[in-house]
């Protein structure tokens, strides 16, 4: 089985990528397997820029092909916030609960029909000496007024997934994989996988 390295230390993302790549014949490794590598400072102004920055930096360090994602929540009534600041929206200490509470508070007076939002994911594939490849995916929804469900991570408990008619955190991992922004981005990537991942585990 070939290896694919995902530039994340987020255990929720790691599990999702593992579920996506294992059926394709790849063993997933993440930055949790490389504790000596420090976090890459995300200085980009878009999800795409941050994904490319992470993928290219880690690919250079490991001299391997690396896939990085940058993803987050964009809420229309908040002019696209939290956006690229989704992970640390409530402060430098990453806290899903604090982030969700801040969003719910900011939307207190926003009526139900104006709570449109979407999850966005940019996936960048970088290899030493090769041009970086990037795709993106979205998932449309609404922001709920209270948390629901016990699956998922991040903003999933307050995100109502229109396609499924449930909060994202009420979906099983298998159901989420049918509609999520990350899965939609990966589906776009799949046709490119044979060439992009050729020899990925042979280093």
């Amino acid at each position: 089985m070939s290896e694919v390295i995902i530039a994340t230390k987020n255990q929720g993302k790691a599990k999702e990528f593992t579920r996506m790549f294992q059926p394709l014949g790849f063993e997933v490794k993440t930055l949790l397997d490389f504790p000596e590598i420090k976090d890459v400072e995300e200085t980009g102004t878009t999800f795409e820029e941050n994904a490319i920055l992470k993928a290219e930096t880690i690919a250079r360090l490991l001299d391997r092909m690396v896939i990085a994602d940058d993803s987050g929540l964009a809420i229309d009534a908040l002019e696209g916030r939290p956006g690229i600041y989704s992970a640390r929206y409530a402060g430098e200490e990453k806290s899903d609960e604090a982030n969700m509470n801040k969003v719910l508070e900011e939307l207190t007076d926003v009526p139900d029909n104006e709570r449109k939002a979407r999850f966005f994911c940019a996936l960048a594939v970088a290899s030493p000496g090769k041009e970086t490849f990037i795709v993106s995916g979205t998932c449309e929804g609404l922001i709920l007024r209270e948390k629901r469900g016990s699956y998922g991570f991040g903003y999933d408990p307050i995100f109502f997934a229109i396609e499924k008619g449930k909060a994202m955190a009420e979906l099983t991992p298998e159901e989420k994989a049918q509609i999520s922004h990350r899965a939609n981005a990966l589906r776009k990537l799949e046709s490119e996988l044979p060439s992009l991942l050729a020899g990925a585990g042979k280093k």
Side-chain angles (χ1 to χ4, degrees), residues 86-140:
S86 292
R88 294 182 172 85
Y89 193 47
E92 274 306 302
E93 280 293 316
K94 291 182 181 180
S95 168
D96 291 347
E97 283 298 311
N99 289 337
M100 285 189 285
N101 290 339
K102 181 175 181 178
V103 164
L104 291 176
E105 186 178 335
E106 289 184 330
L107 293 178
T108 298
D109 298 326
V110 177
D112 292 349
N113 63 345
E114 294 177 20
R115 299 170 75 92
K116 291 181 181 177
R118 68 206 46 80
F119 278 124
F120 186 92
C121 171
L123 280 182
V125 185
S127 295
K130 292 186 179 179
E131 187 175 348
T132 299
F133 182 83
I134 190 156
V135 292
S136 62
T138 60
C139 179
E140 297 291 324

Side-chain angles (χ1 to χ4, degrees), residues 3 22 29 38 40 46 107 121 129 137 140 147 150 152 190:
E3 286 179 359
Q22 274 186 341
K29 286 198 169 184
K38 296 179 181 177
V40 176
T46 64
L107 293 178
C121 171
E140 297 291 324
K147 299 161 193 164
S150 56
E190 274 188 47

Side-chain angles (χ1 to χ4, degrees), residues 70-90:
D70 196 47
S71 52
L73 178 65
I75 301 170
D76 290 354
L78 299 181
E79 298 179 331
R81 297 193 312 274
I84 61 170
Y85 305 107
S86 292
R88 294 182 172 85
Y89 193 47

Side-chain angles (χ1 to χ4, degrees), residues 32-68:
L32 296 170
D33 297 297
F34 302 92
E36 71 280 6
I37 294 180
K38 296 179 181 177
D39 287 343
V40 176
E41 191 175 352
E42 297 177 17
T43 56
T45 58
T46 64
F47 291 113
E48 290 89 348
E49 286 178 7
N50 282 330
I52 291 168
L53 187 63
K54 285 187 280 190
E56 291 182 349
T57 301
I58 304 302
R60 280 195 301 271
L61 286 171
L62 295 177
D63 195 27
R64 296 276 297 275
M65 194 209 73
V66 170
I67 297 177

Side-chain angles (χ1 to χ4, degrees), residues 20-21 24 123 182-190 193:
M20 292 175 191
F21 277 101
L24 303 173
L123 280 182
R182 203 163 287 112
N184 287 333
L186 185 63
R187 273 190 278 275
K188 294 180 183 178
L189 186 62
E190 274 188 47
L193 282 175

